[in-house]
Every structure is written in structure tokens, then in C-alpha cells.
């Protein structure tokens, strides 16, 4: 039986490092930012609504622990990435938690983002 997988297709993988503030600036929960949730993306998982889960992520960032990669699909080519739009295929909960913290929607160790030095 012949394979139904087209082995001639290629996949371009680009590794880009963004700061926490890059992520916070590009994401908007209403999908008006440059990082967007495609329609196929599930709702915010109940486990991520727990304050401890979100605080654990922020704690990892403050301690400079590695976070899991996000998988994004660049919607069109923009050489310097200043105007590029991306669909989020993995990492939505981490991205949204970062945005929520930077926008003072929850506290980390009793402090909002705006209260930090």
C-alpha cells in the first residue's frame, strides 16, 4: 500500500526569543493584538484559573527558570517582525497569564505588577 503522507512538504521553523514585555505588548485577550488565538484554540483551561498555577509561572519568570516554548504561526512574512501577526497554537495559557499579570489582573505574593520596583 502506498503512503498517503506527502513527504515532499517542508516546514519552516524559526526560533525567536521574546522578552516577557514583548509577549505582554503583542497579546490582547480580545484578539486585537499581534498574538491571536485561532478559532480552534480551546477556552482557558480551568487549571490555569487557579491563582497558584498563575503565580507559579510568574515565579518561574522571576527566578529565570526556562519556560516551555510557544508554537506560533506567522500569518505573513515581515522581515523585522514589527508588523507581523501570529496565531497561537501552543502556549496560550502562559502567554495570557503573562499578559494578565503585567496588566494587574492578579497578584503575585500579594503584589500587583504595578507595585513592583
Amino acid at each position: 500500500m502506498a503512503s498517503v503522507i506527502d513527504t515532499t512538504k517542508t516546514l519552516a521553523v524559526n526560533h525567536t526569543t521574546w522578552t516577557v514585555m514583548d509577549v505582554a505588548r503583542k497579546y490582547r485577550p480580545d484578539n486585537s493584538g499581534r498574538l491571536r488565538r485561532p478559532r480552534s484554540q480551546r477556552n482557558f483551561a480551568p487549571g490555569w484559573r487557579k491563582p497558584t498555577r498563575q503565580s507559579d509561572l510568574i515565579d518561574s519568570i522571576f527566578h529565570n527558570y526556562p519556560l516551555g516554548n510557544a508554537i506560533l504561526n506567522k500569518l505573513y512574512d515581515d522581515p523585522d517582525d514589527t508588523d507581523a501577526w501570529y496565531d497561537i497554537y501552543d502556549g496560550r495559557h502562559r502567554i495570557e497569564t503573562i499578559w494578565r499579570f503585567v496588566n494587574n489582573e492578579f497578584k503575585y505574593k500579594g503584589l500587583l505588577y504595578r507595585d513592583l520596583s
Side-chain angles (χ1 to χ4, degrees):
M1 177 177 188
S3 173
V4 294
I5 299 172
D6 184 351
T7 58
T8 63
K9 298 284 183 184
T10 60
L11 178 67
V13 177
N14 182 13
H15 297 276
T16 303
T17 302
W18 288 351
T19 67
V20 169
M21 292 310 294
D22 288 337
V23 171
R25 282 187 203 106
K26 292 180 185 203
Y27 179 76
R28 298 287 177 277
D30 64 0
N31 266 0
S32 66
R34 302 227 175 257
L35 284 170
R36 306 182 318 173
R37 292 182 323 273
R39 288 191 181 125
S40 61
Q41 183 66 260
R42 66 182 176 166
N43 289 330
F44 207 70
W48 275 92
R49 293 233 179 255
K50 295 178 183 176
T52 54
R53 184 79 183 260
Q54 295 176 41
S55 289
D56 286 348
L57 177 72
I58 302 306
D59 192 62
S60 293
I61 292 169
F62 284 146
H63 285 94
N64 205 28
Y65 297 150
L67 302 180
N69 293 329
I71 298 175
L72 309 174
N73 180 37
K74 194 178 202 181
L75 300 179
Y76 63 87
D77 193 29
D78 176 34
D80 60 7
D81 279 342
T82 55
D83 291 324
W85 290 73
Y86 300 85
D87 275 348
I88 303 166
Y89 284 98
D90 184 59
R92 178 258 175 114
H93 294 94
R94 285 167 279 152
I95 290 168
E96 189 160 328
T97 297
I98 290 167
W99 182 89
R100 290 185 72 244
F101 181 65
V102 169
N103 285 278
N104 303 298
E105 291 197 7
F106 72 93
K107 293 180 179 181
Y108 168 74
K109 295 189 176 185
L111 298 171
L112 292 170
Y113 177 80
R114 69 175 172 239
D115 299 330
L116 301 173
S117 60

